[in-house]
Amino acid sequence: MESQSQPQPQPQPQPRRPRGFAATAAAAAASVSPTGAPSGSAGASTASSGKGKREREKEKERTKLRERHRRAITSRMLAGLRQYGNFPLPARADMNDVLAALAREAGWTVEPDGTTYRHSPPPQHQQHLGAFSVRSGESPLSATSLKNCSVKATLDCQQPVVRIDGSLSPASLDSVVIAERDTRSEKYPSTSPINSVECLEADQLIQDVHSTEHDNDFTGTQYVPVYVKLSTGVINNFCQLADPDDVRQELSHMNSLNVDGVIVDCWWGIVECWNPQKYVWSGYRELFNYIREFKMKIQVVMAFHEYGRTDSADVLISLPNWILEIGKENQDIFFTDREGRRTTEFLSWGIDKERVLNGRTGVEVYFDFMRSFRTEFDDLFAEGLISAVEIGLGPSGELRYPSFSERMGWRYPGIGEFQCYDKYLQQHLRKAAKLRGHSFWARGPDNAGHYNSRPHETGFFCERGDYDSYYGRFFLHWYAQALMDHADNVLSLANLAFEETKIIVKIPAVYWWYKTSSHAAELTAGYNNPTNQDGYSPVFEVLKKHSVTVKFVCYGLQICSYENDEAFADPEGLSWQVLNSAWDRGLKVAGENTLSCYDREGCLRIIETAKPRNDPDRRHFSFFVYQQPSPLVQGVICLPDLDYFIKCMHAGDITGDLVP
């Protein structure tokens, strides 16, 4: 009788080691005694548990932000491959799709299951050389240039192993593939593709893969006029020219640099300082006469905001005194935060159509000021000396809310606060909520944090926060609509005052927290631009209606060095969105630099932004404004070589001026 086989014991599966939050929970459970009592005191255990929970929540939020950052980078890479490389990538492509597309571009066959192979053996001369060239956006290696290269005899009798060096940049991945040496041979231990061909020196390969011979040559590109902004203190608070000799010297210096024109701020707080509708333009008349002698164009700024209420400011220009007197009796003419604190940087948009300024509305006050300027300097408009007028639509002359007030304690990179708690804007909010059918929505969010909060510290701006709820979407739409209504109202009257004159509007560059889902800083500034919608298109539709030129701030490279990604900032991503959104709507675009100093590399970055060479439509800035914190005559020139910068913008021959 056959012996029955005994059943073999089945191996027990090894328990999985807990990781992440599970590991933390397991460690916490292990610290409890068998009787169920904590090993330490109850108070200490509770405090430790609460602290650990908060840390876990913070780490969870940081992990989400990092993952969103990675997805944003991947999205931009895919967009670039589609736009500039003509890669037919699917809408929801991943890295496997990218690798397959690159392999097919290089001549390989990629099956749906991922199997990758060469469809046919390479030509004999390429087998021996182990190299071939394909399409490149820069300067591709040609097969002819590699034919005459000598290769070690050992390679002639070996089957070439083809590899793509992972150290090459994405732009060069489809430029060159070089045979790898046999790593089994001690004679050729190196696996670097640079060393696989003797005649290709390292500098030669770098020059072929990423040619920079003409990177800094802007000869033949579009001509972009350059304007230099005069320092703020050139006109004092009594509307007098502060120092005529310095002004002459500075204008002479600009003229020697072939500057196209100057930017002059016309301050409401100086011209109409003491009494309503009593305008004093004498200092500006004298200044314009000096500029006329040097035959430079003038762009004027209708500056309706205050200037200099910071610790570092050496000049203070407030709103007109008669406005401040009205504000003492009626503080609701100013923007107000949730705690009821007022900012006098700019008048609230809630009074644009309220007759609270000695019988005039806000827009009527702006119109009377603009009409007075147009009448006073009619001769300069007639002869074309004044070429454009910029309309100040908010703090710092930018179209935004004063949500980042340093006087209120804001410091970068705080998210800022909503500025809609004066009684006039609150009336508008109640009306909008009633029309929507939800009167209880007539309130600002109570969980939006404070000026220096981070998005993940608030219930409104965090991942899946209330900003994306029904109420949140309603409030943010109303908040942004109030900004657009203000621009529409003021620009309608500006076109009436300055008919047939170019009108300019300055758009802010709120780049911090751009890589988060809520874009919290942009939301408090009035731009409803979270990741699930475009907040700039509606604004530009309003500006297109008035045929304005959009002026946007450009950044150099130095901004990325001190961000350290703690604020999830992305100035380049923001610039890409704003500039292309404006261009796509047929708006003219101009640029302006920050007051920070730039090195030569940052200078070139600005020029590439002003007239991108890879734009198929050859779109470019209509002009560029250079500003610095002090006059040129004092020698504090932030761009290391302003003459070089202007020549690049003017598309002149600057090859002899390049610095190694």
PDB file of all heavy atoms in Angstrom, residues 216-243:
ATOM      1  N   ASN A 216      24.475  84.877 -27.213  1.00  0.00           N
ATOM      2  CA  ASN A 216      24.402  86.251 -26.734  1.00  0.00           C
ATOM      3  C   ASN A 216      24.386  87.272 -27.859  1.00  0.00           C
ATOM      4  O   ASN A 216      24.541  88.457 -27.605  1.00  0.00           O
ATOM      5  CB  ASN A 216      25.590  86.540 -25.799  1.00  0.00           C
ATOM      6  CG  ASN A 216      25.566  85.646 -24.579  1.00  0.00           C
ATOM      7  OD1 ASN A 216      24.517  85.187 -24.163  1.00  0.00           O
ATOM      8  ND2 ASN A 216      26.734  85.392 -24.010  1.00  0.00           N
ATOM      9  N   ASP A 217      24.226  86.818 -29.077  1.00  0.00           N
ATOM     10  CA  ASP A 217      24.203  87.722 -30.220  1.00  0.00           C
ATOM     11  C   ASP A 217      22.747  87.998 -30.589  1.00  0.00           C
ATOM     12  O   ASP A 217      22.053  87.139 -31.108  1.00  0.00           O
ATOM     13  CB  ASP A 217      24.941  87.093 -31.404  1.00  0.00           C
ATOM     14  CG  ASP A 217      25.053  88.069 -32.579  1.00  0.00           C
ATOM     15  OD1 ASP A 217      24.627  89.231 -32.418  1.00  0.00           O
ATOM     16  OD2 ASP A 217      25.577  87.665 -33.628  1.00  0.00           O
ATOM     17  N   PHE A 218      22.287  89.215 -30.303  1.00  0.00           N
ATOM     18  CA  PHE A 218      20.906  89.578 -30.583  1.00  0.00           C
ATOM     19  C   PHE A 218      20.790  90.443 -31.833  1.00  0.00           C
ATOM     20  O   PHE A 218      19.782  91.107 -32.036  1.00  0.00           O
ATOM     21  CB  PHE A 218      20.308  90.311 -29.380  1.00  0.00           C
ATOM     22  CG  PHE A 218      20.160  89.428 -28.171  1.00  0.00           C
ATOM     23  CD1 PHE A 218      21.180  89.327 -27.233  1.00  0.00           C
ATOM     24  CD2 PHE A 218      19.012  88.690 -27.985  1.00  0.00           C
ATOM     25  CE1 PHE A 218      21.047  88.509 -26.131  1.00  0.00           C
ATOM     26  CE2 PHE A 218      18.866  87.863 -26.878  1.00  0.00           C
ATOM     27  CZ  PHE A 218      19.893  87.777 -25.950  1.00  0.00           C
ATOM     28  N   THR A 219      21.838  90.441 -32.657  1.00  0.00           N
ATOM     29  CA  THR A 219      21.794  91.201 -33.901  1.00  0.00           C
ATOM     30  C   THR A 219      20.701  90.643 -34.804  1.00  0.00           C
ATOM     31  O   THR A 219      20.601  89.441 -35.006  1.00  0.00           O
ATOM     32  CB  THR A 219      23.145  91.131 -34.625  1.00  0.00           C
ATOM     33  OG1 THR A 219      24.177  91.558 -33.736  1.00  0.00           O
ATOM     34  CG2 THR A 219      23.136  92.005 -35.858  1.00  0.00           C
ATOM     35  N   GLY A 220      19.879  91.525 -35.338  1.00  0.00           N
ATOM     36  CA  GLY A 220      18.816  91.103 -36.226  1.00  0.00           C
ATOM     37  C   GLY A 220      17.519  90.745 -35.535  1.00  0.00           C
ATOM     38  O   GLY A 220      16.535  90.443 -36.206  1.00  0.00           O
ATOM     39  N   THR A 221      17.500  90.757 -34.195  1.00  0.00           N
ATOM     40  CA  THR A 221      16.247  90.509 -33.483  1.00  0.00           C
ATOM     41  C   THR A 221      15.406  91.782 -33.461  1.00  0.00           C
ATOM     42  O   THR A 221      15.825  92.831 -33.946  1.00  0.00           O
ATOM     43  CB  THR A 221      16.530  90.033 -32.050  1.00  0.00           C
ATOM     44  OG1 THR A 221      17.298  91.039 -31.361  1.00  0.00           O
ATOM     45  CG2 THR A 221      17.304  88.730 -32.055  1.00  0.00           C
ATOM     46  N   GLN A 222      14.227  91.701 -32.868  1.00  0.00           N
ATOM     47  CA  GLN A 222      13.325  92.846 -32.854  1.00  0.00           C
ATOM     48  C   GLN A 222      13.892  93.975 -31.985  1.00  0.00           C
ATOM     49  O   GLN A 222      14.540  93.736 -30.968  1.00  0.00           O
ATOM     50  CB  GLN A 222      11.944  92.432 -32.316  1.00  0.00           C
ATOM     51  CG  GLN A 222      11.254  91.363 -33.142  1.00  0.00           C
ATOM     52  CD  GLN A 222      11.594  89.959 -32.688  1.00  0.00           C
ATOM     53  OE1 GLN A 222      12.569  89.738 -31.978  1.00  0.00           O
ATOM     54  NE2 GLN A 222      10.791  89.004 -33.114  1.00  0.00           N
ATOM     55  N   TYR A 223      13.618  95.189 -32.402  1.00  0.00           N
ATOM     56  CA  TYR A 223      14.049  96.383 -31.661  1.00  0.00           C
ATOM     57  C   TYR A 223      13.049  96.641 -30.537  1.00  0.00           C
ATOM     58  O   TYR A 223      11.850  96.807 -30.784  1.00  0.00           O
ATOM     59  CB  TYR A 223      14.110  97.587 -32.597  1.00  0.00           C
ATOM     60  CG  TYR A 223      14.633  98.865 -31.963  1.00  0.00           C
ATOM     61  CD1 TYR A 223      15.954  99.256 -32.129  1.00  0.00           C
ATOM     62  CD2 TYR A 223      13.800  99.685 -31.206  1.00  0.00           C
ATOM     63  CE1 TYR A 223      16.429 100.434 -31.561  1.00  0.00           C
ATOM     64  CE2 TYR A 223      14.263 100.861 -30.633  1.00  0.00           C
ATOM     65  CZ  TYR A 223      15.581 101.227 -30.811  1.00  0.00           C
ATOM     66  OH  TYR A 223      16.053 102.393 -30.245  1.00  0.00           O
ATOM     67  N   VAL A 224      13.530  96.652 -29.298  1.00  0.00           N
ATOM     68  CA  VAL A 224      12.688  96.923 -28.136  1.00  0.00           C
ATOM     69  C   VAL A 224      13.159  98.231 -27.506  1.00  0.00           C
ATOM     70  O   VAL A 224      14.276  98.300 -26.983  1.00  0.00           O
ATOM     71  CB  VAL A 224      12.759  95.780 -27.105  1.00  0.00           C
ATOM     72  CG1 VAL A 224      11.937  96.131 -25.868  1.00  0.00           C
ATOM     73  CG2 VAL A 224      12.261  94.477 -27.725  1.00  0.00           C
ATOM     74  N   PRO A 225      12.362  99.304 -27.546  1.00  0.00           N
ATOM     75  CA  PRO A 225      12.768 100.567 -26.912  1.00  0.00           C
ATOM     76  C   PRO A 225      12.967 100.399 -25.410  1.00  0.00           C
ATOM     77  O   PRO A 225      12.259  99.631 -24.764  1.00  0.00           O
ATOM     78  CB  PRO A 225      11.591 101.512 -27.224  1.00  0.00           C
ATOM     79  CG  PRO A 225      10.872 100.879 -28.367  1.00  0.00           C
ATOM     80  CD  PRO A 225      11.063  99.411 -28.226  1.00  0.00           C
ATOM     81  N   VAL A 226      13.918 101.129 -24.867  1.00  0.00           N
ATOM     82  CA  VAL A 226      14.227 101.082 -23.439  1.00  0.00           C
ATOM     83  C   VAL A 226      13.975 102.456 -22.823  1.00  0.00           C
ATOM     84  O   VAL A 226      14.521 103.459 -23.287  1.00  0.00           O
ATOM     85  CB  VAL A 226      15.690 100.652 -23.190  1.00  0.00           C
ATOM     86  CG1 VAL A 226      16.004 100.689 -21.696  1.00  0.00           C
ATOM     87  CG2 VAL A 226      15.937  99.257 -23.752  1.00  0.00           C
ATOM     88  N   TYR A 227      13.149 102.492 -21.793  1.00  0.00           N
ATOM     89  CA  TYR A 227      12.877 103.696 -21.026  1.00  0.00           C
ATOM     90  C   TYR A 227      13.482 103.540 -19.639  1.00  0.00           C
ATOM     91  O   TYR A 227      13.472 102.445 -19.069  1.00  0.00           O
ATOM     92  CB  TYR A 227      11.375 103.946 -20.903  1.00  0.00           C
ATOM     93  CG  TYR A 227      10.696 104.388 -22.180  1.00  0.00           C
ATOM     94  CD1 TYR A 227      10.440 103.482 -23.208  1.00  0.00           C
ATOM     95  CD2 TYR A 227      10.299 105.707 -22.364  1.00  0.00           C
ATOM     96  CE1 TYR A 227       9.820 103.882 -24.384  1.00  0.00           C
ATOM     97  CE2 TYR A 227       9.676 106.128 -23.528  1.00  0.00           C
ATOM     98  CZ  TYR A 227       9.441 105.203 -24.534  1.00  0.00           C
ATOM     99  OH  TYR A 227       8.838 105.606 -25.693  1.00  0.00           O
ATOM    100  N   VAL A 228      14.006 104.629 -19.103  1.00  0.00           N
ATOM    101  CA  VAL A 228      14.574 104.622 -17.754  1.00  0.00           C
ATOM    102  C   VAL A 228      13.674 105.448 -16.848  1.00  0.00           C
ATOM    103  O   VAL A 228      13.261 106.557 -17.199  1.00  0.00           O
ATOM    104  CB  VAL A 228      16.009 105.177 -17.747  1.00  0.00           C
ATOM    105  CG1 VAL A 228      16.535 105.281 -16.317  1.00  0.00           C
ATOM    106  CG2 VAL A 228      16.926 104.284 -18.577  1.00  0.00           C
ATOM    107  N   LYS A 229      13.377 104.907 -15.677  1.00  0.00           N
ATOM    108  CA  LYS A 229      12.483 105.583 -14.743  1.00  0.00           C
ATOM    109  C   LYS A 229      13.264 106.575 -13.900  1.00  0.00           C
ATOM    110  O   LYS A 229      14.262 106.219 -13.263  1.00  0.00           O
ATOM    111  CB  LYS A 229      11.787 104.562 -13.848  1.00  0.00           C
ATOM    112  CG  LYS A 229      10.630 105.121 -13.061  1.00  0.00           C
ATOM    113  CD  LYS A 229       9.803 104.007 -12.448  1.00  0.00           C
ATOM    114  CE  LYS A 229       8.541 104.545 -11.822  1.00  0.00           C
ATOM    115  NZ  LYS A 229       7.676 103.475 -11.302  1.00  0.00           N
ATOM    116  N   LEU A 230      12.814 107.829 -13.869  1.00  0.00           N
ATOM    117  CA  LEU A 230      13.447 108.839 -13.021  1.00  0.00           C
ATOM    118  C   LEU A 230      13.158 108.534 -11.560  1.00  0.00           C
ATOM    119  O   LEU A 230      12.112 107.978 -11.213  1.00  0.00           O
ATOM    120  CB  LEU A 230      12.927 110.236 -13.372  1.00  0.00           C
ATOM    121  CG  LEU A 230      13.325 110.801 -14.743  1.00  0.00           C
ATOM    122  CD1 LEU A 230      12.723 112.187 -14.924  1.00  0.00           C
ATOM    123  CD2 LEU A 230      14.833 110.865 -14.883  1.00  0.00           C
ATOM    124  N   SER A 231      14.092 108.905 -10.693  1.00  0.00           N
ATOM    125  CA  SER A 231      13.927 108.631  -9.269  1.00  0.00           C
ATOM    126  C   SER A 231      12.720 109.377  -8.718  1.00  0.00           C
ATOM    127  O   SER A 231      12.332 110.448  -9.217  1.00  0.00           O
ATOM    128  CB  SER A 231      15.192 109.033  -8.516  1.00  0.00           C
ATOM    129  OG  SER A 231      15.509 110.388  -8.771  1.00  0.00           O
ATOM    130  N   THR A 232      12.130 108.810  -7.666  1.00  0.00           N
ATOM    131  CA  THR A 232      10.883 109.351  -7.131  1.00  0.00           C
ATOM    132  C   THR A 232      11.048 110.756  -6.573  1.00  0.00           C
ATOM    133  O   THR A 232      10.162 111.598  -6.700  1.00  0.00           O
ATOM    134  CB  THR A 232      10.337 108.413  -6.040  1.00  0.00           C
ATOM    135  OG1 THR A 232      10.150 107.113  -6.600  1.00  0.00           O
ATOM    136  CG2 THR A 232       9.013 108.920  -5.500  1.00  0.00           C
ATOM    137  N   GLY A 233      12.187 111.069  -5.975  1.00  0.00           N
ATOM    138  CA  GLY A 233      12.368 112.359  -5.335  1.00  0.00           C
ATOM    139  C   GLY A 233      12.717 113.502  -6.261  1.00  0.00           C
ATOM    140  O   GLY A 233      13.074 114.586  -5.770  1.00  0.00           O
ATOM    141  N   VAL A 234      12.605 113.319  -7.570  1.00  0.00           N
ATOM    142  CA  VAL A 234      12.983 114.391  -8.495  1.00  0.00           C
ATOM    143  C   VAL A 234      12.046 115.596  -8.354  1.00  0.00           C
ATOM    144  O   VAL A 234      12.446 116.738  -8.556  1.00  0.00           O
ATOM    145  CB  VAL A 234      13.008 113.854  -9.944  1.00  0.00           C
ATOM    146  CG1 VAL A 234      11.622 113.470 -10.416  1.00  0.00           C
ATOM    147  CG2 VAL A 234      13.641 114.866 -10.876  1.00  0.00           C
ATOM    148  N   ILE A 235      10.778 115.364  -7.968  1.00  0.00           N
ATOM    149  CA  ILE A 235       9.812 116.427  -7.670  1.00  0.00           C
ATOM    150  C   ILE A 235       9.492 116.353  -6.183  1.00  0.00           C
ATOM    151  O   ILE A 235       9.086 115.298  -5.682  1.00  0.00           O
ATOM    152  CB  ILE A 235       8.524 116.270  -8.503  1.00  0.00           C
ATOM    153  CG1 ILE A 235       8.839 116.316 -10.001  1.00  0.00           C
ATOM    154  CG2 ILE A 235       7.508 117.343  -8.148  1.00  0.00           C
ATOM    155  CD1 ILE A 235       9.289 117.668 -10.510  1.00  0.00           C
ATOM    156  N   ASN A 236       9.665 117.474  -5.457  1.00  0.00           N
ATOM    157  CA  ASN A 236       9.415 117.443  -4.013  1.00  0.00           C
ATOM    158  C   ASN A 236       7.925 117.622  -3.724  1.00  0.00           C
ATOM    159  O   ASN A 236       7.108 117.780  -4.633  1.00  0.00           O
ATOM    160  CB  ASN A 236      10.259 118.494  -3.287  1.00  0.00           C
ATOM    161  CG  ASN A 236       9.925 119.919  -3.724  1.00  0.00           C
ATOM    162  OD1 ASN A 236       8.812 120.212  -4.169  1.00  0.00           O
ATOM    163  ND2 ASN A 236      10.900 120.815  -3.607  1.00  0.00           N
ATOM    164  N   ASN A 237       7.578 117.616  -2.434  1.00  0.00           N
ATOM    165  CA  ASN A 237       6.175 117.668  -2.033  1.00  0.00           C
ATOM    166  C   ASN A 237       5.515 119.021  -2.288  1.00  0.00           C
ATOM    167  O   ASN A 237       4.296 119.151  -2.109  1.00  0.00           O
ATOM    168  CB  ASN A 237       6.038 117.303  -0.553  1.00  0.00           C
ATOM    169  CG  ASN A 237       6.246 115.815  -0.307  1.00  0.00           C
ATOM    170  OD1 ASN A 237       6.012 114.998  -1.190  1.00  0.00           O
ATOM    171  ND2 ASN A 237       6.695 115.460   0.881  1.00  0.00           N
ATOM    172  N   PHE A 238       6.293 120.012  -2.677  1.00  0.00           N
ATOM    173  CA  PHE A 238       5.726 121.311  -3.045  1.00  0.00           C
ATOM    174  C   PHE A 238       5.655 121.481  -4.562  1.00  0.00           C
ATOM    175  O   PHE A 238       5.500 122.595  -5.063  1.00  0.00           O
ATOM    176  CB  PHE A 238       6.569 122.434  -2.433  1.00  0.00           C
ATOM    177  CG  PHE A 238       6.618 122.386  -0.933  1.00  0.00           C
ATOM    178  CD1 PHE A 238       7.694 121.803  -0.278  1.00  0.00           C
ATOM    179  CD2 PHE A 238       5.571 122.898  -0.176  1.00  0.00           C
ATOM    180  CE1 PHE A 238       7.739 121.751   1.111  1.00  0.00           C
ATOM    181  CE2 PHE A 238       5.607 122.853   1.212  1.00  0.00           C
ATOM    182  CZ  PHE A 238       6.688 122.273   1.859  1.00  0.00           C
ATOM    183  N   CYS A 239       5.782 120.362  -5.275  1.00  0.00           N
ATOM    184  CA  CYS A 239       5.746 120.326  -6.745  1.00  0.00           C
ATOM    185  C   CYS A 239       6.800 121.253  -7.340  1.00  0.00           C
ATOM    186  O   CYS A 239       6.528 122.037  -8.250  1.00  0.00           O
ATOM    187  CB  CYS A 239       4.357 120.692  -7.280  1.00  0.00           C
ATOM    188  SG  CYS A 239       4.090 120.050  -8.960  1.00  0.00           S
ATOM    189  N   GLN A 240       8.017 121.117  -6.816  1.00  0.00           N
ATOM    190  CA  GLN A 240       9.158 121.857  -7.339  1.00  0.00           C
ATOM    191  C   GLN A 240      10.235 120.865  -7.753  1.00  0.00           C
ATOM    192  O   GLN A 240      10.368 119.781  -7.166  1.00  0.00           O
ATOM    193  CB  GLN A 240       9.711 122.820  -6.286  1.00  0.00           C
ATOM    194  CG  GLN A 240       8.734 123.879  -5.825  1.00  0.00           C
ATOM    195  CD  GLN A 240       9.242 124.661  -4.631  1.00  0.00           C
ATOM    196  OE1 GLN A 240      10.151 124.213  -3.926  1.00  0.00           O
ATOM    197  NE2 GLN A 240       8.662 125.837  -4.395  1.00  0.00           N
ATOM    198  N   LEU A 241      11.015 121.247  -8.754  1.00  0.00           N
ATOM    199  CA  LEU A 241      12.135 120.417  -9.179  1.00  0.00           C
ATOM    200  C   LEU A 241      13.195 120.449  -8.091  1.00  0.00           C
ATOM    201  O   LEU A 241      13.727 121.509  -7.752  1.00  0.00           O
ATOM    202  CB  LEU A 241      12.695 120.939 -10.497  1.00  0.00           C
ATOM    203  CG  LEU A 241      13.548 119.970 -11.326  1.00  0.00           C
ATOM    204  CD1 LEU A 241      12.769 118.711 -11.658  1.00  0.00           C
ATOM    205  CD2 LEU A 241      14.012 120.649 -12.602  1.00  0.00           C
ATOM    206  N   ALA A 242      13.483 119.286  -7.496  1.00  0.00           N
ATOM    207  CA  ALA A 242      14.322 119.239  -6.308  1.00  0.00           C
ATOM    208  C   ALA A 242      15.743 119.714  -6.589  1.00  0.00           C
ATOM    209  O   ALA A 242      16.292 120.530  -5.850  1.00  0.00           O
ATOM    210  CB  ALA A 242      14.334 117.816  -5.739  1.00  0.00           C
ATOM    211  N   ASP A 243      16.386 119.219  -7.654  1.00  0.00           N
ATOM    212  CA  ASP A 243      17.777 119.579  -7.961  1.00  0.00           C
ATOM    213  C   ASP A 243      17.943 119.619  -9.479  1.00  0.00           C
ATOM    214  O   ASP A 243      18.238 118.593 -10.113  1.00  0.00           O
ATOM    215  CB  ASP A 243      18.733 118.566  -7.331  1.00  0.00           C
ATOM    216  CG  ASP A 243      20.175 119.051  -7.326  1.00  0.00           C
ATOM    217  OD1 ASP A 243      20.548 119.819  -8.243  1.00  0.00           O
ATOM    218  OD2 ASP A 243      20.919 118.673  -6.401  1.00  0.00           O
TER     219      ASP A 243
END
